Amino acid sequence: MSQLEKALRAGQFAVTAEVAPPKGADLAPALETARALRGKVHGLNVTDMQSACLKASSLGLCVALKQAGLEPILQMTGRDRNRMALAADLLTAASFGIDTVLALTGDHPAVGDCRDAKPVYDLDSVGILELLTELQAGRDCGGNPLTGVAPQYFGGASATPVYDPLPLQIAKVKRKVDAGARFIQTQAVFTAESLLPFLEGLDRAGINIPVLAGIIPLKSAGMAKFMNDHVPGIAVPQEQIDALAAEKSAGGSPAQLGIRMAAELAARLRAEKLCAGIHIMAIGGEKYIPGLLEQAGIDMQE
Amino acid sequence: MIITRKKEREALLAMLRGVRRAALVGCASCAAACQTGGEKELEETKAFLEDHGIQVLAAVLPEECCHKMLVKRDLKALRGLELDAVVCLACGDGVQTVADNVALPVYPANDTLFLGQVERVGIFHEYCRMCGDCVLGATGGICPVTRCAKGLVNGPCGGQKDGKCEVNPENDCAWILIYRRLERLGKLDSLLIPAGQRHEHAHPAHLNLREGAK
Ligand code: SF4
Ligand code: SF4
């Protein structure tokens, strides 16, 4: 059982972060990034060609992390593999003791860096979760029996809390939960207030699932504006953009301010018990995560 | 309707290298409506080919170029002509139906694009991918297999921005359209109907409605 599953079962405030495989054949730098987070987070999501940009495989880096005694969370998208290839990778993951999986539909190749690639989408996020359930029952994607002990997984899904119309997002989460999702990691939120309508929506729909709120430490006003304009489901409030800009004009470090803002949000989410944990997407700034957690007063050893 | 587009004229000529005498076959149905294979296009193509040294000895216009019986009947007009090739101004189905029924090379004058709605003359939108397992009953009559860029049948991805699709911001996100339609119809509970397992069908497919057929 992964540390994430244990933490969520024990009702501990869970912390996950993210690491990307390299665009190349050397896993060492990613491994080093991951090692620096040992003991600081319950799990490390390994992204699966995020933004549809070609990278080494998520499964490959997950195996390397596992062998280094770390806690990988396998991100699996339906973009590049049909159900057979997905099932094969999931079985391989389980054979290495990797059981925690985040099922995603995946960004379309048209928005990535290999635009002529054929999109697959044989299964979407819901289909991948159903596949996990099938494999756990000892059956493959064709209903054929698996040999040996059936693998066990801890499957999760993503959600976009800032979404209009929100009931459509809630309905999608419902389908994911019905398909077997046992935790949710959300797209980044920047205020507790922007998460609340989503959490209330889940409540009203009778959906009871641990939610890890996505957190992106902002590095600059420019980054925040860019994300507001281009990244779906991202809504950085104007006050935060202004504060980052002011910090820069005052000769301070907007990146440090971004970390403080992220830490404040994390601390508040925990103190008010608004959600089950946080998922930090540092986008290259992984080395600041321990400091962020310290500022937030979050210690997973507690 | 099957939506077709004329091939680039240079591409057509390149295929026809070495052809001196040709016949044209159009289609009075979809291709005529797409302005790729009706009376007018047959005339244009004849003039174009003759300008480029290819004699056009006949032009026929079957009611439906994908209908073997109709094509067979109309192709009788080519009998006895000294032809090097046939140029077909229909969809890919029509081209093959013609090729099945003449002992000559048959060249496509069009590219076949999709099955779509004619919004008005000259404006077409892809509406159905012929998936063989229609979900329109649960989606307010808007096809997610076709009109969602990822063909998602279980609800939207997280990629829409202001109701537009992440893949092409000129397109509306199909799932937002579905949501709005279901809302208007008072059928939002349809959003929770499981889509079930989707099946990829083996190609080529056949259908036989004749008595005694399975
Ligand atoms: S679901 Fe869409 S693609 Fe499938 S048959 Fe219906 S309209 Fe066509
Ligand atoms: S944005 Fe909407 S239409 Fe585009 S891929 Fe996602 S769900 Fe489909």
Side-chain angles (χ1 to χ4, degrees), chain A residues 152-167:
Chain A
Q152 293 305 308
Y153 297 100
F154 187 56
S158 67
T160 309
V162 179
Y163 192 97
D164 179 30
L166 189 55

Side-chain angles (χ1 to χ4, degrees), chain B residues 147-150 152 156-157 159-160 164-167 173-175:
Chain B
R147 294 170 68 186
C148 163
K150 298 176 186 172
L152 304 179
C157 75
Q160 63 98 7
K164 298 295 178 182
C165 175
E166 77 167 35
V167 178
C173 168
W175 276 99

Side-chain angles (χ1 to χ4, degrees), chain B:
Chain B
M1 170 168 305
I2 308 292
I3 310 304
T4 48
R5 183 175 57 198
K6 289 178 193 168
K7 273 188 181 292
E8 293 294 331
R9 296 296 88 176
E10 298 77 62
L12 179 60
L13 284 180
M15 274 189 299
L16 296 178
R17 199 161 294 142
V19 172
R20 312 292 300 273
R21 289 166 303 269
L24 305 182
V25 181
C27 171
S29 299
C30 303
C34 292
Q35 304 166 29
T36 56
E39 199 84 63
K40 181 163 159 267
E41 294 75 32
L42 284 173
E43 272 165 38
E44 276 170 13
T45 309
K46 180 174 191 301
F48 173 77
L49 294 181
E50 297 200 322
D51 278 352
H52 291 82
I54 299 170
Q55 238 187 305
V56 175
L57 302 184
V60 291
L61 186 58
E63 271 160 68
E64 288 163 9
C65 199
C66 56
H67 195 306
K68 185 174 172 184
M69 291 307 154
L70 298 178
V71 168
K72 234 182 161 152
R73 187 190 69 197
D74 291 354
L75 284 179
K76 286 185 185 143
L78 308 189
R79 273 194 201 148
L81 298 176
E82 286 273 329
L83 292 167
D84 301 321
V86 174
V87 177
C88 182
L89 292 73
C91 68
D93 186 344
V95 175
Q96 295 182 63
T97 304
V98 172
D100 284 348
N101 289 289
V102 289
L104 287 165
V106 178
Y107 295 103
N110 297 329
D111 289 318
T112 304
L113 303 178
F114 54 83
L115 176 55
Q117 180 200 68
V118 186
E119 188 194 317
R120 41 202 148 95
V121 175
I123 299 181
F124 310 101
H125 306 290
E126 186 172 14
Y127 261 41
C128 172
R129 288 210 206 174
M130 302 175 281
C131 74
D133 188 7
C134 196
V135 301
L136 287 173
T139 58
I142 295 169
C143 173
V145 175
T146 310
R147 294 170 68 186
C148 163
K150 298 176 186 172
L152 304 179
V153 291
N154 290 300
C157 75
Q160 63 98 7
K161 189 125 184 109
D162 305 322
K164 298 295 178 182
C165 175
E166 77 167 35
V167 178
N168 179 353
E170 287 180 6
N171 290 334
D172 292 323
C173 168
W175 276 99
I176 305 281
L177 295 179
I178 290 168
Y179 179 85
R180 299 282 177 225
R181 174 81 55 86
L182 290 174
E183 190 178 39
R184 220 170 50 233
L185 296 172
K187 291 249 176 224
L188 280 177
D189 50 343
S190 297
L191 287 175
L192 294 175
I193 300 174
Q197 284 276 319
R198 305 292 297 167
H199 304 279
E200 188 53 47
H201 296 268
H203 297 288
H206 306 278
L207 177 65
N208 186 344
L209 301 178
R210 293 281 171 115
E211 228 176 314
K214 284 193 285 179

Side-chain angles (χ1 to χ4, degrees), chain A residues 73-262:
Chain A
I73 298 169
L74 176 67
Q75 293 200 178
M76 288 222 117
T77 76
R79 174 190 55 235
D80 309 301
R81 284 158 292 185
N82 69 6
R83 63 191 79 184
M84 289 179 76
L86 288 165
D89 280 358
L90 286 166
L91 292 176
T92 305
S95 76
F96 283 97
I98 299 160
D99 63 355
T100 303
V101 178
L102 184 74
L104 299 164
T105 294
D107 299 320
H108 195 283
V111 303
D113 68 356
C114 296
R115 293 176 182 221
D116 292 334
K118 179 177 184 177
V120 178
Y121 302 116
D122 181 24
L123 301 182
D124 61 1
S125 50
V126 173
I128 295 172
L129 289 162
E130 286 167 347
L131 175 60
L132 287 174
T133 307
E134 279 297 291
L135 295 175
Q136 295 190 112
R139 288 186 298 269
D140 71 9
C141 44
N144 311 294
L146 300 171
T147 60
V149 182
Q152 293 305 308
Y153 297 100
F154 187 56
S158 67
T160 309
V162 179
Y163 192 97
D164 179 30
L166 189 55
L168 179 56
Q169 184 62 209
I170 302 290
K172 182 84 190 232
V173 173
K174 176 93 170 63
R175 282 209 185 176
K176 289 173 174 176
V177 173
D178 290 348
R182 289 156 69 196
F183 66 93
I184 295 286
Q185 291 174 317
T186 77
Q187 173 60 293
V189 291
F190 298 87
T191 60
E193 285 66 30
S194 62
L195 185 62
L196 292 179
F198 172 73
L199 295 174
E200 285 160 13
L202 292 184
D203 256 359
R204 261 201 310 277
I207 301 168
N208 192 2
I209 186 167
V211 172
L212 278 69
I215 292 191
I216 294 181
L218 295 166
K219 293 173 189 161
S220 67
M223 171 197 186
K225 267 188 267 176
F226 179 87
M227 290 200 308
N228 271 356
D229 289 345
H230 295 103
V231 185
I234 292 277
V236 184
Q238 191 58 43
E239 305 94 76
Q240 293 189 10
I241 300 179
D242 293 344
L244 290 164
E247 184 74 10
K248 187 172 177 207
S249 334
S253 160
Q256 287 303 324
L257 175 61
I259 288 164
R260 280 204 301 283
M261 294 192 303

